[in-house]
Amino acid sequence: MSAGRAPAVRRQSILVALAATIVVAVVYVLVAIAVVTVVTRDLTAQVDGRLAQALTRVPQGPPPSGGPFERPPGDRPFGAPTLIWAVGLDGTVMHDTDTPALPAELVHVVGPETAAVNGSELRLRGAQLGDQYVVVGQTLDGVNDARSTILLAEVVIAPVLLLVVFLGAVVIGRRVAAPVEAARQRQVGFTADASHELRTPLSVIEANASLALTGERDAPWYRSAFERIDDETKRMRRLLDDMLWLARFDAARPPAGAEPVDLGVLAAQTADRFAAIAETRGLALSVHVPAEGVSVAAPPDLLDRLLGVLLDNACKFVPDGGTVDLTIAREGGRVAVTVDDSGPGIAVDQRERIFDRFHRAGGDETDAAGAAGAGLGLAIADAIVRATGGHWQVGDSPAGGARLSVSWPRALA
């Protein structure tokens, strides 16, 4: 990724992280409110249940003179006792000395409801029991304390959670954005390189056409001009075919149709296709395959194209009268395809880049016939090798040129 695009990726990842954090914050607030509401409701419902039980256990009649009401057992949830008021027929409100006075507007409360009594928030419930109306109540301090504890925990957890979400989103965003941006950069570079490659043949065609239109020429000149136009047209056609193949291959991954393929048979067939080219240039093209079959699992059409690219690449850069050797061999549990040639070889510092699209080792490299290649052949080969699970080895050939070898796990025929 270029240095200029890195800050843009960082900015985008931070914006995405902020958006994710805001969404999580909103969800967290809603969940926190829901938790507090549910807990408060459940704890209040427990108090209401205890008040209902207390009403069924309150003794009939007024309490003994000067003595407190007999409170029902288990009446101290959250450490708060049950408060009891008894309202007589004459409206007199009776309660023990520890119980605050009940406001007049609450002496006949039915409830359950929450009210303030003597500065405390109480939950009240009342019912007619015999000749008196009894009101029972309990402070909500325990409920409020539990709610405050939950709110405090939520407030403490919130910034930590949001910080973790933000940092995690930044890290994930950068990891996700980096390959996307790298792919975009490769696409931009591919388009720029393709435009550059197409510009040269188009310029040649345009120049010859313009010269042909400037005046009358003799027949040999026109023939020479049309031959140049024909050569550049074919070059453009090959370039466009390779670009279209790569585009379709990238869009259609992973390839389907893997099956056991005998590389010995496929190598012999591929060599037959290049026999005429080798004979025309005086090349010694040889194929070495083991007596028993050697198979790998891959789509046959991809392997056929790969072998064709390897032989085509070797034949292009081997001088007339040179040698090209195609060897199929077992290497332990793997099967290797190796192409050796007597050409100029590949410099060590170029071996990691020979599979880049539109890259030519040594710059504007030309083949043995002096024609410049587009730098897509080995890129196509590398795409096939990666898709079929193969492994490259690039080195020096015993014949003095380059050695390109690909191996795959052996498959049962």
Side-chain angles (χ1 to χ4, degrees), residues 50-51 54 71-72 74-77 80-84 96 99 136-138:
R50 289 188 177 92
L51 293 178
R71 293 190 175 94
D75 69 340
R76 297 179 68 86
T82 300
L83 306 177
I84 303 175
D96 61 24
T99 302
V136 294
Q138 187 176 63

Side-chain angles (χ1 to χ4, degrees), residues 86-162:
V87 183
L89 295 177
D90 58 356
T92 303
V93 180
M94 295 171 287
H95 56 85
D96 61 24
T97 57
D98 296 331
T99 302
L102 187 67
E105 66 272 13
L106 298 175
V107 295
H108 289 95
V109 66
V110 177
E113 67 178 66
T114 302
V117 177
N118 197 29
S120 298
E121 188 178 24
L122 302 181
R123 191 71 171 171
L124 301 175
R125 190 166 194 157
Q128 185 72 38
L129 300 178
D131 294 336
Q132 59 187 1
Y133 193 84
V134 177
V135 178
V136 294
Q138 187 176 63
T139 179
L140 292 179
D141 290 344
V143 176
N144 294 334
D145 289 344
R147 180 170 56 198
S148 299
T149 301
I150 295 174
L151 285 172
L152 178 62
E154 291 174 341
V155 170
V156 172
I157 292 173
V160 177
L161 174 63
L162 296 180

Side-chain angles (χ1 to χ4, degrees), residues 36 53 60 62 92-93 101 129 140-141 160 170 188 210 214 217 232 261 274 292 326 328 360 377 395 403 409:
V36 171
Q53 292 179 3
Q60 300 290 326
T92 303
V93 180
L129 300 178
L140 292 179
D141 290 344
V160 177
V170 169
V188 172
S210 298
T214 56
R217 312 280 181 172
E232 296 302 325
V261 179
F274 284 84
E292 63 278 6
L326 173 59
I328 309 296
R360 304 185 189 92
R403 163 172 284 189

Side-chain angles (χ1 to χ4, degrees), residues 74-360:
D75 69 340
R76 297 179 68 86
F78 308 108
T82 300
L83 306 177
I84 303 175
W85 297 268
V87 183
L89 295 177
D90 58 356
T92 303
V93 180
M94 295 171 287
H95 56 85
D96 61 24
T97 57
D98 296 331
T99 302
L102 187 67
E105 66 272 13
L106 298 175
V107 295
H108 289 95
V109 66
V110 177
E113 67 178 66
T114 302
V117 177
N118 197 29
S120 298
E121 188 178 24
L122 302 181
R123 191 71 171 171
L124 301 175
R125 190 166 194 157
Q128 185 72 38
L129 300 178
D131 294 336
Q132 59 187 1
Y133 193 84
V134 177
V135 178
V136 294
Q138 187 176 63
T139 179
L140 292 179
D141 290 344
V143 176
N144 294 334
D145 289 344
R147 180 170 56 198
S148 299
T149 301
I150 295 174
L151 285 172
L152 178 62
E154 291 174 341
V155 170
V156 172
I157 292 173
V160 177
L161 174 63
L162 296 180
L163 179 61
V164 171
V165 169
F166 175 77
L167 295 178
V170 169
V171 173
I172 294 174
R174 289 183 181 178
R175 289 185 177 180
V176 172
V180 173
E181 179 60 22
R184 193 193 73 82
Q185 289 293 320
R186 287 196 299 270
Q187 182 180 17
V188 172
F190 182 80
T191 303
D193 291 337
S195 301
H196 175 75
E197 292 295 332
L198 290 171
R199 186 181 295 114
T200 299
L202 286 173
S203 298
V204 173
I205 293 173
E206 182 182 15
N208 281 274
S210 298
L211 288 175
L213 294 174
T214 56
E216 293 294 332
R217 312 280 181 172
D218 54 21
W221 188 95
Y222 282 117
R223 182 176 183 83
S224 176
F226 280 121
E227 286 176 349
R228 289 192 294 271
I229 291 175
D230 182 61
D231 290 341
E232 296 302 325
T233 302
K234 290 178 179 177
R235 179 184 174 187
M236 287 179 57
R237 176 61 182 268
R238 290 192 299 270
L239 176 61
L240 291 174
D241 285 345
D242 287 345
M243 291 170 56
L244 182 60
W245 189 94
L246 282 170
R248 288 176 175 173
F249 187 82
D250 289 341
R253 288 183 177 177
E259 60 185 68
V261 179
D262 191 326
L263 286 180
V265 174
L266 192 61
Q269 294 173 349
T270 306
D272 285 341
R273 299 205 308 268
F274 284 84
I277 296 176
E279 183 178 354
T280 300
R281 297 188 47 222
L283 304 179
L285 175 60
S286 59
V287 180
H288 309 278
V289 299
E292 63 278 6
V294 282
S295 299
V296 298
D301 57 327
L302 295 186
L303 294 182
D304 179 69
R305 175 128 195 178
L306 171 64
L307 293 180
V309 169
L310 293 177
L311 281 183
D312 180 66
N313 186 75
C315 291
K316 277 182 179 179
F317 297 102
V318 172
D320 292 350
T323 61
V324 176
D325 296 325
L326 173 59
T327 304
I328 309 296
R330 292 181 181 176
E331 296 180 351
R334 301 179 70 85
V335 178
V337 173
T338 303
V339 176
D340 292 305
D341 63 58
S342 59
I346 302 173
V348 175
D349 60 344
Q350 294 289 330
R351 291 177 184 176
E352 293 185 358
R353 299 192 57 201
I354 60 173
F355 302 116
D356 293 346
R357 298 178 183 185
F358 294 107
H359 175 76
R360 304 185 189 92

Side-chain angles (χ1 to χ4, degrees), residues 22-33:
I22 291 173
V23 171
V24 172
V26 172
V27 174
Y28 182 83
V29 169
L30 295 177
V31 172
I33 294 174

